[in-house]
Amino acid sequence: MEAKLLSASSPPSFSVNGATKFSRPSLVLTSPTREFPIFKLQCPARSSNKIIQSVHASKSIGTVTTQRVDDSENLTLDAVRYSLIRQEDSIIFSLLERAQYCQNKSTYDPDSFSIEGFHGSLIQYMLRETEKLHAQVLHPIADKINMNPKVWEIYFKNIVPKLAKEGEDGNCGSTAVCDAMCLQALSKRIRYGKFVAECKFRDSPEAYQAAIKEQDRDGLMNLLKFPKVEESVKKRVEMKTRTYGQEVPVEICKDGDCPTYKINPSLVADLYGEWIMPLTKEVLGNKPSTSNFPITRVVRM
Ligand SMILES: O=C(O)C(=O)C[C@]1(C(=O)O)C=C[C@@H](O)C=C1
C-alpha cells in the first residue's frame, strides 16, 4: 500500500531488506501544488546542533529573547488529572492506528534498514529524527526524568505482540510512524507524574516534607497513591477503548450480534494497570525532594 500510494511522486526513500520503500506521509498527498517536505535522508542535520541548543526554553522574536514560562495557572491536581484523561484518548487512538498493521519486525531490525551515515533500525531512525525536532521546541527539563528505556522495552515486548498480527505486510514506514506516536504518547503520560507530584506536594507540603526528610519511601508512596483513582482510570480506558475501537458494521446488527473491537479493550486497561500507572508512580516517587521544588514556571508541554 505504501508503494502504491506514492508511486506518482518522488518522495524520500529508504531501503528495507535491500528493496527501496516509500514511507506514507500523513500530509501532502492530496494537493498537487504542494511539495513533499524536504527531508534529506542522506544528510543528518549535524550542522544545526548549535541552533537546537540555543532555542531551548526561550523564544526569539527578532532580536528579543523571552524566557518561556507557563503562566496558565494550570498546575492544580484537577487540571493535571484532566490532562491525563485527555491523554488517554491520544494513547488509545495511537494504539488503534498501530493495530491495523502487522508486527512488521523488520521495522525493528538494524540489518533490514540502511541509510547512509546511520546504523540502526527504521524505528530508531524515526525516533531520533522526531526527537531532534521536538528538542527544538520543548524544554530540556522534559528529559530530566527519563523513563524511555523502560517504555521502549514494555512497548515492544509486551504491547506490540498483543496489538498486532504476526508477520510482515510491507508497511514498515507506516509502522514506524505509528510506533513513534505510541511511544511518545506513553512517554509523555508517564512524565506527567512529575506534575502530579508537584501538585500533591503543594497541596500538603508539611506531610510530604516530613516523609522526604525521614527518607520514608513507603510513607511517601502511601501519600502519593490513590487506589480508587487508579480503579476508575482502568474502567474509563476500557470503556473508551470499547467506544473508539468498536467496528461499526454497515448493516445494522441483528439481535444477538456481539460487537467486535479493533483491539481488545481489556488490553488497554491492563496496560494502564500493569505499566503506565506503576511507571507514573515511579516518576511521582522520584520527584519530591524539598530542594527540587518548585519545578514549575518552566514548561508548557
Ligand atoms: O491522579 C493521581 O492522583 C495520580 O497520582 C495519577 C495516578 C495515575 O497514574 O493515573 C498515579 C497514582 C495514583 O495512585 C493514581 C493515579
Side-chain angles (χ1 to χ4, degrees):
M1 184 193 333
E2 292 181 10
K4 261 189 234 154
L5 276 171
L6 293 170
S7 55
S9 325
S10 359
S13 64
F14 55 84
S15 144
V16 176
N17 283 335
T20 299
K21 300 243 169 184
F22 300 113
S23 183
R24 186 180 68 183
S26 51
L27 304 168
V28 304
L29 279 176
T30 48
S31 164
T33 53
R34 279 199 198 150
E35 287 177 10
F36 275 93
I38 299 165
F39 185 57
K40 291 182 185 152
L41 294 182
Q42 311 300 338
C43 313
R46 284 206 189 90
S47 56
S48 60
N49 269 358
K50 254 193 182 156
I51 302 168
I52 290 173
Q53 281 160 11
S54 68
V55 294
H56 267 319
S58 63
K59 166 177 80 178
S60 297
I61 308 153
T63 53
V64 183
T65 300
T66 54
Q67 204 53 30
R68 276 192 313 162
V69 162
D70 181 354
D71 9 86
S72 60
E73 306 288 331
N74 266 351
L75 205 80
T76 63
L77 189 54
D78 280 351
V80 176
R81 278 184 177 155
Y82 180 69
S83 171
L84 295 182
I85 292 174
R86 279 194 290 110
Q87 288 178 46
E88 291 164 7
D89 299 0
S90 315
I91 291 174
I92 294 168
F93 280 114
S94 53
L95 294 173
L96 285 169
E97 283 290 296
R98 175 62 183 90
Q100 67 188 300
Y101 303 111
C102 285
Q103 288 184 20
N104 292 326
K105 287 188 179 147
S106 53
T107 313
Y108 318 125
D109 176 6
D111 299 322
S112 298
F113 174 69
S114 86
I115 196 157
E116 217 178 286
F118 178 79
H119 184 71
S121 62
L122 176 56
I123 183 61
Q124 285 171 323
Y125 183 74
M126 182 80 200
L127 283 165
R128 191 187 73 159
E129 295 301 311
T130 312
E131 282 176 4
K132 253 194 227 166
L133 178 63
H134 287 192
Q136 294 179 58
V137 291
L138 291 174
H139 193 279
I141 200 160
D143 300 330
K144 287 264 161 66
I145 300 168
N146 190 353
M147 283 285 157
N148 289 345
K150 277 194 189 165
V151 178
W152 179 276
E153 189 176 316
I154 289 161
Y155 179 73
F156 289 113
K157 271 203 185 149
N158 299 287
I159 304 179
V160 173
K162 291 184 191 152
L163 198 63
K165 282 196 292 284
E166 270 202 62
E168 300 276 336
D169 57 22
N171 289 297
C172 294
S174 302
T175 299
V177 170
C178 291
D179 284 331
M181 274 168 27
C182 291
L183 285 164
Q184 283 173 339
L186 292 169
S187 147
K188 174 178 171 179
R189 193 321 175 164
I190 290 161
R191 274 205 321 265
Y192 259 57
K194 65 182 184 250
F195 296 112
V196 178
E198 177 151 348
C199 294
K200 290 184 175 175
F201 179 91
R202 283 179 171 196
D203 287 347
S204 25
E206 295 81 16
Y208 286 95
Q209 267 158 357
I212 292 163
K213 272 189 202 138
E214 282 163 31
Q215 300 276 298
D216 178 5
R217 206 176 161 76
D218 292 342
L220 186 62
M221 279 322 284
N222 281 336
L223 287 170
L224 288 166
K225 70 181 178 200
F226 286 74
K228 275 195 178 154
V229 175
E230 294 188 29
E231 274 317 301
S232 54
V233 170
K234 282 195 281 180
K235 274 193 196 138
R236 190 176 50 244
V237 293
E238 175 153 354
M239 190 71 87
K240 281 185 178 181
T241 313
R242 279 182 197 284
T243 310
Y244 307 154
Q246 186 171 347
E247 300 281 6
V248 181
V250 181
E251 303 281 323
I252 300 202
C253 288
K254 294 179 206 103
D255 281 350
D257 273 359
C258 293
T260 54
Y261 303 100
K262 292 176 185 132
I263 58 180
N264 179 352
S266 64
L267 180 91
V268 182
D270 294 346
L271 168 65
Y272 265 80
E274 284 170 35
W275 308 110
I276 296 181
M277 291 193 288
L279 286 177
T280 307
K281 278 186 282 188
E282 264 186 54
V283 173
L284 277 172
N286 261 335
K287 198 61 213 161
S289 114
T290 38
S291 60
N292 274 345
F293 282 87
I295 56 159
T296 41
R297 306 208 54 72
V298 195
V299 211
R300 193 197 304 270
M301 293 178 82

